[in-house]
Amino acid sequence: MFKKIVIATGNKGKLREIQHILSPLEIEVIPQSEFNVPECAEPFCTFIENALAKARHASKHTGLPALADDSGLCVDALQGAPGVRSARYADKVSDLNTNQDDRNNQKLLQVMANETNRHAHFYCVIVLVRHEHDPEPIIAEGLWAGEILSEYRGDDGFGYDPLFLDDKTGKTVAELSLDIKSRISHRGHAMAKLLQKLEKLSNE
């Protein structure tokens, strides 16, 4: 079993969720920022390729096993967009007083203004590599179905959380507690599958 894992993300919301889910395990979870890992390019058109690139990049710079998450919002009416570009759907913000999440959400509202098909899902793939050149990365996926609202609801979370309505609870992600979100989200499902794989490996 792993004693230390570096988390390959600079997103504080993602980091908080991953640390929360991994907290029951006796694994020291360290953000890559503590090692000053430079930003990794994400040039690929699939989530899994980007996650694998980020995990290998973090492992290379830290010498530790690395876990990377690549996830995003896929909207049916937009042929899967924003997809891998979810975090940078709108133009990158240079104004420190402007929030990137708000810009992304405003763009989504604009492009969906006349759409009647509001179905969407969050998708997440998590990759864990033992070292930079690991030929057998551990991979887990998760999906969360819902729909896009026409206005914000809720004050918690990050990203598209105030606009994404969960099918089962009838609440937006921004209205859910972290405990509930960790159980039912795309990232929660992917992490649960990852934990199952880690337990299986530890018993072999």
Side-chain angles (χ1 to χ4, degrees):
M1 182 62 78
F2 302 91
K3 296 186 182 299
K4 291 183 180 181
I5 293 178
V6 61
I7 306 300
T9 184
N11 184 308
K12 292 181 180 178
K14 279 188 182 182
L15 180 62
R16 183 170 67 120
E17 288 182 15
I18 293 171
Q19 287 177 322
H20 181 77
I21 294 168
L22 288 177
S23 60
L25 301 181
E26 293 182 2
I27 299 175
E28 185 179 356
V29 178
I30 310 169
Q32 67 176 12
S33 58
E34 290 194 12
F35 297 92
N36 295 316
V37 175
E39 187 174 350
C40 178
E42 299 178 47
F44 303 106
C45 61
T46 66
F47 293 104
I48 190 167
E49 289 173 294
N50 286 325
L52 186 56
K54 288 188 286 187
R56 293 199 190 284
H57 179 79
S59 186
K60 174 183 178 180
H61 285 275
T62 64
L64 292 171
L67 183 151
D69 153 297
D70 202 50
S71 54
L73 178 69
C74 301
V75 180
D76 291 7
L78 304 180
Q79 298 181 315
V84 295
R85 291 191 52 80
S86 292
R88 51 195 183 280
Y89 189 38
D91 293 337
K92 189 172 182 179
V93 174
S94 56
D95 182 358
L96 295 178
N97 295 318
T98 305
N99 185 283
Q100 182 70 50
D101 286 348
D102 287 340
R103 301 255 316 204
N104 292 337
N105 282 320
Q106 288 301 317
K107 179 175 180 179
L108 181 62
L109 287 174
Q110 290 171 7
V111 298
M112 291 290 290
N114 298 315
E115 291 290 347
T116 55
N117 178 6
R118 315 291 293 191
H119 295 297
H121 65 270
F122 277 120
Y123 176 81
C124 172
V125 60
I126 290 175
V127 173
L128 177 60
V129 296
R130 300 163 185 83
H131 54 83
E132 178 192 357
H133 300 293
D134 189 349
E136 298 179 282
I138 302 169
I139 300 171
E141 300 170 286
L143 187 145
W144 192 4
E147 61 182 73
I148 304 302
L149 298 181
S150 57
E151 59 184 17
Y152 289 21
R153 270 178 45 186
D155 302 313
D156 207 356
F158 65 98
Y160 300 95
D161 288 359
L163 293 179
F164 186 83
L165 185 73
D166 171 47
D167 281 345
K168 294 182 178 178
T169 64
K171 294 183 177 181
T172 68
V173 185
E175 295 174 311
L176 298 174
S177 69
L178 183 58
D179 280 338
I180 294 175
K181 182 179 179 181
S182 296
R183 290 201 305 271
I184 69 175
S185 73
H186 53 310
R187 188 168 296 110
H189 289 156
M191 288 296 296
K193 293 176 184 177
L194 179 72
L195 294 181
Q196 289 176 355
K197 293 186 177 186
L198 290 178
E199 289 175 2
K200 183 178 179 181
L201 285 174
S202 67
N203 293 328
E204 289 179 351

